[in-house]
Structures are given as C-alpha cells and as structure tokens.
Amino acid sequence: MKKEGMLVIISGPSGAGKGTVVTELIKTGEFSLSISATTRKPRPGEIDGTHYYFYDKETFETMQKKNQLLEWAEFCGNYYGTPRKYVEKQMAEGKNVILEIEVQGALQIKELYPECVLVFLIPPNLEELGRRLIKRGTEDKQTINRRIHRALEEMEFILQYDYIVINETIQKATEDICAIVKAESMKSSRNTKIKEQFKGEIELC
C-alpha cells in the first residue's frame, strides 16, 4: 500500500551544521531534497540549482505573486523560499522530502501541512556556534555577530518544533533524524488505511 511521502523540515541557527547534516541525510537514500530559492549571492563553491536557486529580487517577488512558493521569508536582508511544484510532486509519489529552511518559513508550512515534521538543529552551545561561523570564513565579524543575535531570536520558537537535535557530531545528528523519521512513519495517524486494508482482506477470504 503506497503512502504519501513525509515532509521533514530542518531549521536552526546559521552555523548549526544544517547543510552538512542534510547532505548526509540525502546520502542515505531515504529523502528527496527540496532546493530553496534565495536572493542572496552564492558563497564560494555553491552551484545554482544544486545548493540553491539564486534569483534576483524581481524574479523572486514574481514567484510570490504567482503563488509558486510554499513559503518565503526575509533573513539578513535576503529572501528565501520553497518552490511549490517539486515538493508536492515528490510527496505524491510517496517520497520523503527534506527542507532546510528558516523558522518563519517552517511555521508557515506547518499551517499548510500539519503532518509535517519540524526538527530544530542546534550546536552544543553558543561558543561552539561562534567558532563554527568563524571557521567558515565567509563573513566578517559584524555579520557573524548579527547571526549569533539572530540565533538567540530563533531559539524563542524552539518549542513550536516537534524535535530538537543537538549537533555534536554530524554522524550522530544524522542518525537521530533518521530515527525520528522512522518513528514518525509508524504513527497510527499516518497509517489510517491499514484497518480498511485488513478488513478488505478478511472479506476476500
């Protein structure tokens, strides 16, 4: 019996390791990755259509008006959003779709898809967060301080998420999220057709 795919959303402060964890999750073969759209400039090594769809502000705002985004948010002066078509197609085919998006967008999607799974990924502490941002080497001190301040703001929404995963190591965080998704897939609320299936089998006996 084919079930609709699950929508798994991963949020967390910049520097928490979301991108790396998502990469490892995709390697498991259990997920399809939804690529977000953004108006920010690509970082070194980022490829359009692989890491993000990089659009100018005018193009992004046109997508908003045409309802082509499941959600969108503004973060540190840039737009971020989730293209609708790919996500809905993958779920209809029974595939789990993973989104890496900001808090504001995650809560918007929760309203559209109450059954989606919200996971908040955090570093062990703020000191480690600062260290990771500095090590990344892509932003100046002012931007790093702004991201740390933003991290504290995002933490205010943490209890609206279904699960909190502490990213001490990439492997452990990946395993924790896989375990969460496996448990979610066995919830009775996601398997409401099983009773009808068994009834039908009995009637055929």
Side-chain angles (χ1 to χ4, degrees), residues 6 8 12 15 24 27 30 33 53 65 67 80 97 102 108 116-117 122 129 135 170 175 183 203:
M6 196 182 310
V8 182
E24 293 302 308
K27 287 179 183 178
E30 299 294 323
L33 176 64
Y53 293 113
K65 292 174 183 176
N67 197 30
Y80 294 82
V97 180
E102 306 298 330
Q108 287 178 33
C116 73
V117 181
I122 59 174
L129 178 64
K135 185 179 179 181
I170 298 301
E175 290 173 353
E203 290 171 359

Side-chain angles (χ1 to χ4, degrees), residues 74-99:
E74 186 173 2
F75 178 70
C76 290
N78 293 299
Y79 288 138
Y80 294 82
T82 302
R84 176 186 295 272
K85 186 176 180 180
Y86 177 83
V87 172
E88 294 183 342
K89 180 176 183 292
Q90 294 296 305
M91 289 177 64
E93 293 175 356
K95 298 175 183 176
N96 294 329
V97 180
I98 190 165
L99 306 183

Side-chain angles (χ1 to χ4, degrees), residues 151-164:
L152 293 173
E153 293 177 347
E154 290 176 323
M155 292 289 284
E156 293 296 320
F157 296 92
I158 200 167
L159 295 183
Q160 296 188 48
Y161 277 67
D162 301 305
Y163 301 92
I164 300 169

Side-chain angles (χ1 to χ4, degrees), residues 4 21 47-48 71 136 157:
E4 184 177 76
V21 169
I47 301 170
D48 182 46
E71 56 77 33
R136 195 159 67 181
F157 296 92

Side-chain angles (χ1 to χ4, degrees), residues 47-58:
I47 301 170
D48 182 46
T50 298
H51 299 93
Y52 281 94
Y53 293 113
F54 295 99
Y55 297 132
D56 58 33
K57 188 175 181 180
E58 183 180 357

Side-chain angles (χ1 to χ4, degrees), residues 128-143:
E128 175 63 14
L129 178 64
R131 188 188 70 78
R132 291 178 184 178
L133 288 170
I134 293 169
K135 185 179 179 181
R136 195 159 67 181
T138 58
E139 291 147 342
D140 57 28
K141 185 176 180 181
Q142 182 179 6
T143 302

